[in-house]
Amino acid sequence: MEKRIYNFSAGPAILPEEVLKEAQENLFSLPGVGMSILEISHRSKTFDEIIQGADKNLRQLLGISDDYSILFLQGGATLQFSMVPLNLMPPKNKADYISTGVWAKKAIKEAKRVGTVNVAASGEAENFTRIPKQEELKLDPDAAYVHFTSNNTIYGTEWKKEPEVGSVPLVCDASSDFMHKKIDVNKYALIYAGAQKNLGPSGVTVVIVRKDMLERSQDTLHTYLNYKIHAENGSMYNTPTTFGIYIIHLVSKWLIKLGGLDVMYKMNCEKASILYDYMDESDGFYKGTAQKDSRSLMNVTFRLPNEELEKKIIEEATKAGFSGLKGHRSVGGLRASIYNAFPKQGVADLVQFMKDFKSRN
Ligand SMILES: *Cc1c(COP(=O)(O)O)cnc(C)c1O
């Protein structure tokens, strides 16, 4: 088999090797079924077990109660930028958004098509290098909900804990740090995440929605855009991404086998500190772009003394088997995405490579 290299891509991103191997082994024919996961009906008993298994595993890992529905939808996190306001904003017609980066801004853009958006805080003047402090949030106690982005994939910042929003429903775009640690789901009215960063392949989006929120979905909404319809139909109003849900089932099984999200979180902290600690000791050669108290465990963003060196290190790293280190085109620099499935050894090897590069340059 072709040797695998280190994949630092921000998304679609690395998946656990065990998951890829199991999927590969079973792709031709699922054990006891005699057909591929790619060929079976979403209405079959086999697929029903797969989607129920994924639902059960997510509930177990995150401690999600029966007060919540878990939906497996399509259209990426991007469609959620529209579905959240379409379903949750009426009848108040106004919502609070915390602007911490490009994805938050895209969510705001769509929400503005539905009603009034109060930007409760924006990090744009500081180039989104940090998460706003609680006392900086100008929240409207009468808002339909507050929307925030738990991890800012492009800027490498993350919320260390949820914003406090009183009794206003809290909505979170958790696309790039979903399941990287245990969170208290009861604090949220809705969490959504495109799977392709930390949970599975592209094409499937997980939405965890508190059931009382479904009462807000109006019958006049287009059918596919209505959360209530998806919840009532167990995510099978239409054909769901069967393969994507199958992989989520395998990834969630892998997380459980590993020991759950507290174990995963500990591993994520260890991995990220190997990289951040080295950057901080590099006499300013590698400079983190996020402020220290806002640093992401998932996306480590940094710069070198000049763009020429950045170009050079990316070229050399690619040759050495470290793929996907180029920063997002809107910010430049480098970004190492080290999601759940990324191995600790890969981070240590990258640091060794960075040390060698520094001494040569
Ligand atoms: C990648 C990403 C998105 C966009 O996801 P799509 O699935 O491409 O629509 C939205 N929000 C965050 C935080 C992301 O990282």
Side-chain angles (χ1 to χ4, degrees), residues 79 82-83 86-87 217 221-228 230:
L79 185 58
S82 300
M83 283 178 73
L86 283 168
N87 284 270
S217 302
L221 279 173
H222 285 242
T223 313
Y224 191 86
L225 301 180
N226 188 322
Y227 287 135
K228 198 168 154 196
H230 289 297

Side-chain angles (χ1 to χ4, degrees), residues 229-296:
I229 299 281
H230 289 297
E232 283 169 0
N233 288 278
S235 303
M236 293 215 257
Y237 173 74
N238 71 331
T239 316
T241 34
T242 45
F243 183 72
I245 295 164
Y246 166 71
I247 297 292
I248 289 180
H249 185 203
L250 297 187
V251 171
S252 57
K253 195 170 80 175
W254 171 79
L255 280 166
I256 290 169
K257 203 172 135 200
L258 202 78
L261 295 187
D262 289 337
V263 174
M264 190 71 255
Y265 178 57
K266 194 166 161 269
M267 290 166 74
N268 284 329
C269 290
E270 282 169 12
K271 280 188 291 180
S273 55
I274 294 173
L275 195 44
Y276 282 124
D277 288 351
Y278 171 61
M279 274 162 45
D280 291 343
E281 289 162 11
S282 72
D283 305 317
F285 190 80
Y286 299 105
K287 242 181 144 149
T289 56
Q291 294 187 27
K292 279 191 186 173
D293 58 0
S294 298
R295 282 174 167 177
S296 166

Side-chain angles (χ1 to χ4, degrees), residues 134-291:
Q134 180 67 32
E135 59 271 23
E136 291 171 315
L137 305 179
K138 295 195 175 60
L139 297 168
D140 172 1
D142 195 38
Y145 59 87
V146 180
H147 179 283
F148 80 110
T149 314
S150 52
N151 183 74
N152 298 282
T153 330
I154 294 173
Y155 300 91
T157 63
E158 77 177 2
W159 291 77
K160 300 298 169 187
K161 63 181 183 50
E162 299 83 1
E164 281 160 35
V165 295
S167 59
V168 177
L170 184 62
V171 174
C172 178
D173 174 2
S175 292
S176 53
D177 69 350
F178 189 61
M179 311 278 276
H180 88 296
K181 70 172 180 188
K182 189 125 189 220
I183 54 167
D184 182 3
V185 172
N186 294 317
K187 289 185 179 164
Y188 297 79
L190 189 147
I191 299 168
Y192 63 91
Q196 73 272 21
K197 311 279 169 47
N198 214 15
L199 188 65
S202 58
V204 54
T205 306
V206 174
V207 178
I208 301 168
V209 55
R210 207 171 63 215
K211 286 173 181 165
D212 63 325
M213 286 294 122
L214 299 173
E215 298 314 314
R216 295 192 184 188
S217 302
Q218 295 172 345
D219 294 340
T220 49
L221 279 173
H222 285 242
T223 313
Y224 191 86
L225 301 180
N226 188 322
Y227 287 135
K228 198 168 154 196
I229 299 281
H230 289 297
E232 283 169 0
N233 288 278
S235 303
M236 293 215 257
Y237 173 74
N238 71 331
T239 316
T241 34
T242 45
F243 183 72
I245 295 164
Y246 166 71
I247 297 292
I248 289 180
H249 185 203
L250 297 187
V251 171
S252 57
K253 195 170 80 175
W254 171 79
L255 280 166
I256 290 169
K257 203 172 135 200
L258 202 78
L261 295 187
D262 289 337
V263 174
M264 190 71 255
Y265 178 57
K266 194 166 161 269
M267 290 166 74
N268 284 329
C269 290
E270 282 169 12
K271 280 188 291 180
S273 55
I274 294 173
L275 195 44
Y276 282 124
D277 288 351
Y278 171 61
M279 274 162 45
D280 291 343
E281 289 162 11
S282 72
D283 305 317
F285 190 80
Y286 299 105
K287 242 181 144 149
T289 56
Q291 294 187 27

